[in-house]
Amino acid sequence: MRVVVAPDSFKGSLTAIEASATIAREWRRVRPGDEVAVAPMADGGEGTIDAFELAHPDAVRHPIEVTGPDDRPVLTSWLELPAAAGGDGPTAVIEFASTSGITLLDELRPLTAHSAGFGQAIAAALTAGCRTLLLGIGGSGSTDGGQGALAALGARFLGADGRSVGLGNAALGAIERIDISALVRLPEGVEAIVLSDVRSPLLGDDGAVSVFGPQKGITAGLRSRAEQNLAHFARRLGEVLPTDPLQPGAGAAGGTGFGLSAWGAAIRPGSAVIADALGLVRRIGAAELVITGEGRWDAQSLEGKVVGYVLELAASSGVPAALLAGDIQGPTMPFARAASLSGLAGSADAALREPQRWLAAAAAQLATTWR
């Protein structure tokens, strides 16, 4: 039997590579005669660089120090993929999660966290001569509309007194003028692609503040202020760099999708781009079972997330799919089989304490009972 293992990371507990290796190891132990292929996935969030690095053994990591989301220095890296035969130049893969992500914060900073480090990494890749930029924007801890990234690329955000207003959501409401005279533009022939894991617009009930603000510390008492700040920023940015705040994906990464779109980037589903790099369509087409997984399965899992996209690929190839998730909230009918680590461990806390153990148990159970 041919099995493809293509999970996302189990956020905060297991990387996609660790999850893939654990599932594959247990499957081979229970069913040593089966052929198991691993394809650790990502959708633009945590693990995006790892996924591309696995698909391109000749890729090169470039270490860089950037300003983290709370102004502390962060040592990270961006990935260079060599130019394909006949290509114009190398491709850069840059990850928001590792430059400006929420895991870099000691404590949530709902109104002051920013995306400047992400912009610094983008600038470094452009300086290095990269001709394609793949910008993974999942895992953010800020709601600044991409203002920090644009500031790192040379834009100036000025208040009524003509001075810089600073960075973060709280500063957005004070912007009176945006100076883009020194903004680093995309050179002719250079393409920037935003790899997004959500389809939310910038504003409104489905926007960055309403949907994703709570996980970044935007409480009910701060919601109106944060939304107003973001709306004011959208109006001001639209005066110099017109773009659509209602486009799908504009609300990704606290509105960074919107800011990068105004800069000239195109927003694409991250799962599809990464799956293409891994040759996942071909692998699934030749398989008899696909196993995917994530930390939490819920209603958002089908909205641009890895597991939803892998499920679509499996369905289009007529291949059954199984889900192994840390926690399952909601029906799993599209899957032929589903199991939660918290269900096996007895509680979510128990599963989080030993995620590898319980993922191994779930994989072994699936391998034992699958017919």
Side-chain angles (χ1 to χ4, degrees):
M1 182 175 173
R2 293 182 298 276
V3 181
V4 172
V5 180
D8 195 357
S9 62
F10 285 57
K11 191 165 291 185
S13 55
L14 294 171
T15 67
I17 290 176
E18 291 170 338
S20 297
T22 298
I23 295 168
R25 184 188 67 242
E26 287 303 304
W27 192 278
R28 291 176 180 131
R29 182 183 64 80
V30 175
R31 301 173 61 117
D34 288 353
E35 178 184 326
V36 183
V38 295
M41 275 286 289
D43 50 23
E46 179 186 14
T48 295
I49 283 181
D50 292 338
F52 276 102
E53 192 171 35
L54 187 69
H56 297 272
D58 53 353
V60 177
R61 281 193 186 243
H62 292 272
I64 185 175
E65 182 178 299
V66 301
T67 303
D70 55 4
D71 295 326
R72 292 181 301 169
V74 171
L75 294 175
T76 183
S77 61
W78 59 275
L79 187 71
E80 179 183 340
L81 310 180
D88 292 333
T91 292
V93 184
I94 304 167
E95 197 178 85
F96 195 108
S98 64
T99 54
S100 302
I102 193 169
T103 59
L104 301 174
L105 294 168
D106 282 344
E107 59 182 30
L108 297 177
R109 296 175 178 263
L111 298 180
T112 60
H114 57 76
S115 57
F118 188 53
Q120 290 168 351
I122 293 172
L126 285 174
T127 300
C130 292
R131 305 295 293 174
T132 301
L133 307 178
L134 300 179
L135 310 175
I137 62 171
S140 74
S142 54
T143 310
D144 73 346
Q147 179 230 15
L150 293 176
L153 289 166
R156 298 176 65 221
F157 299 90
L158 309 173
D161 59 1
R163 297 181 180 180
S164 172
V165 299
L167 301 177
N169 180 277
L172 302 182
I175 296 172
E176 290 300 322
R177 184 169 69 88
I178 300 177
D179 179 2
I180 60 170
S181 60
L183 177 65
V184 175
R185 302 299 188 108
L186 280 173
E188 185 177 352
V190 174
E191 183 180 26
I193 301 172
V194 173
L195 308 182
S196 175
D197 61 348
V198 299
R199 299 168 183 165
S200 298
L202 180 67
L203 305 168
D205 292 341
D206 298 322
V209 172
S210 297
V211 177
F212 303 106
Q215 69 190 34
K216 300 169 187 178
I218 298 178
T219 60
L222 293 176
R223 176 177 170 178
S224 177
R225 177 185 172 189
E227 179 82 359
Q228 289 173 11
N229 289 339
L230 204 56
H232 179 78
F233 172 69
R235 288 192 296 272
R236 287 289 184 240
L237 190 62
E239 293 170 359
V240 292
L241 296 173
T243 192
D244 182 9
L246 298 180
Q247 66 176 305
T256 299
F258 170 75
L260 291 177
S261 175
W263 181 59
I267 301 175
R268 299 284 184 268
S271 298
V273 175
I274 295 170
D276 184 60
L278 295 174
L280 196 57
V281 173
R282 172 183 52 80
R283 292 185 179 193
I284 288 178
E288 292 155 284
L289 173 65
V290 179
I291 304 172
T292 189
E294 64 178 347
R296 177 187 174 93
W297 163 268
D298 57 24
Q300 291 186 19
S301 296
L302 295 175
E303 297 295 323
K305 302 292 186 180
V306 163
V307 291
Y309 186 69
V310 172
L311 180 62
E312 288 178 17
L313 293 183
S316 65
S317 296
V319 178
L323 170 70
L324 304 180
D327 191 30
I328 293 177
Q329 298 290 327
T332 59
M333 289 179 292
F335 291 98
R337 195 77 60 83
S340 74
L341 278 57
S342 57
L344 290 173
S347 70
D349 287 342
L352 284 170
R353 282 195 296 270
E354 298 180 283
Q356 203 155 25
R357 171 191 172 186
W358 295 109
L359 180 59
Q365 183 184 77
L366 177 63
T368 301
T369 58
W370 182 263
R371 295 290 182 268

